[in-house]
Amino acid sequence: NAFSASPAVAYTKPIHFPLWVQASAPQGGPRGCRGLVPQVSVQRLSSCKASTGDPRVKDGVHKAGYILRVHSPTELETYTKQPPTSSKLSILMAKSSHCRPCMKFAATYNLLAERFSDAIVMEVMGDENPTTRKWMMDMKIKVTPSFFLYRDGKLLTTLTGTTRSALRDAILEQLGPSEKGRDWVEPPVSVGSDSDSDSDDE
């Protein structure tokens, strides 16, 4: 199984080169899923505020079946390294406000949060403020979305891209026998969504 072979697993699907990578990119900038990602000034970048308006994204306290927005490594470690939540499976999605694949994947990530309601499902908007940008650089995130799975204070798996089945299978690989989500019956996926039908893997 590719997911158990290594704690760092990458898979393919639309990705985006975030702004903190563009700052150090060669002239012309890196090529993202929709051509060249426009350069953004430091002034505009530092003033970027994240706001999805998604009712299933919550700030503050985690709620089962919802996505928790975190804003710093310290906030993440509150859930991944401190009891009683550190024993739970934690999932972090690193995204950016200009990442179109991240926007497209939001509905699927909401569905995963609902399915795996015993897990702590989180997201960080990497270009939200200077703290989150430094955090993304410290984590060496070069494309968004990127996903990180934790348990008991340890990083278990890292994935990039928006192939739903890959992230789902990685979560199932790490799911405990009594944790919710194994018996989930997935609803049909509409045409044009981020289903496996338009993914790069077979």
Side-chain angles (χ1 to χ4, degrees):
N1 184 302
F3 293 105
S4 59
S6 168
V9 180
Y11 62 93
T12 59
K13 194 65 170 78
I15 57 176
H16 171 83
F17 290 92
L19 303 175
W20 53 88
V21 174
Q22 294 180 43
S24 58
Q27 186 175 7
R31 196 166 284 277
C33 64
R34 295 183 182 274
L36 289 175
V37 180
Q39 299 293 324
V40 178
S41 69
V42 173
Q43 182 178 6
R44 178 184 170 190
L45 184 59
S46 63
S47 64
C48 178
K49 300 295 182 183
S51 177
T52 64
D54 190 331
R56 298 197 66 82
V57 177
K58 304 293 184 182
D59 276 289
V61 180
H62 172 257
K63 181 178 179 181
Y66 287 76
I67 299 168
L68 174 68
R69 172 73 60 81
V70 293
H71 308 272
S72 70
T74 301
E75 194 174 353
L76 173 68
E77 290 174 3
T78 299
Y79 294 94
T80 61
K81 292 189 176 182
Q82 297 180 22
T85 55
S86 58
S87 62
K88 295 177 177 285
L89 178 64
S90 293
I91 307 158
L92 175 69
M93 175 183 181
K95 56 196 286 187
S96 70
S97 60
H98 296 82
C99 171
R100 292 186 182 182
C102 300
M103 298 173 194
K104 183 181 178 184
F105 195 70
T108 292
Y109 200 52
N110 285 337
L111 188 66
L112 291 173
E114 183 180 350
R115 170 178 179 172
F116 300 107
S117 58
D118 283 339
I120 300 183
V121 182
M122 298 174 278
E123 70 174 30
V124 56
M125 191 70 76
D127 55 358
E128 182 177 8
N129 56 49
T131 298
T132 57
R133 291 200 305 278
K134 182 180 185 303
W135 183 12
M136 298 301 98
M137 290 188 287
D138 290 344
M139 294 177 74
K140 297 179 171 56
I141 294 175
K142 297 186 181 300
V143 297
T144 53
S146 291
F147 299 90
F148 303 85
L149 276 61
Y150 302 86
R151 193 190 292 274
D152 295 322
K154 297 179 180 178
L155 176 62
L156 305 174
T157 304
T158 301
L159 308 97
T160 60
T162 60
T163 302
R164 178 173 65 171
S165 62
L167 180 58
R168 178 200 62 208
D169 292 348
I171 296 171
L172 287 170
E173 180 74 22
Q174 303 297 340
L175 204 66
S178 63
E179 292 178 322
K180 295 177 182 176
R182 292 190 181 278
D183 56 352
W184 177 274
V185 177
E186 293 196 12
V189 179
S190 60
V191 176
S193 69
D194 49 5
S195 69
D196 293 335
S197 62
D198 61 353
S199 68
D200 294 332
D201 57 352
E202 297 295 326

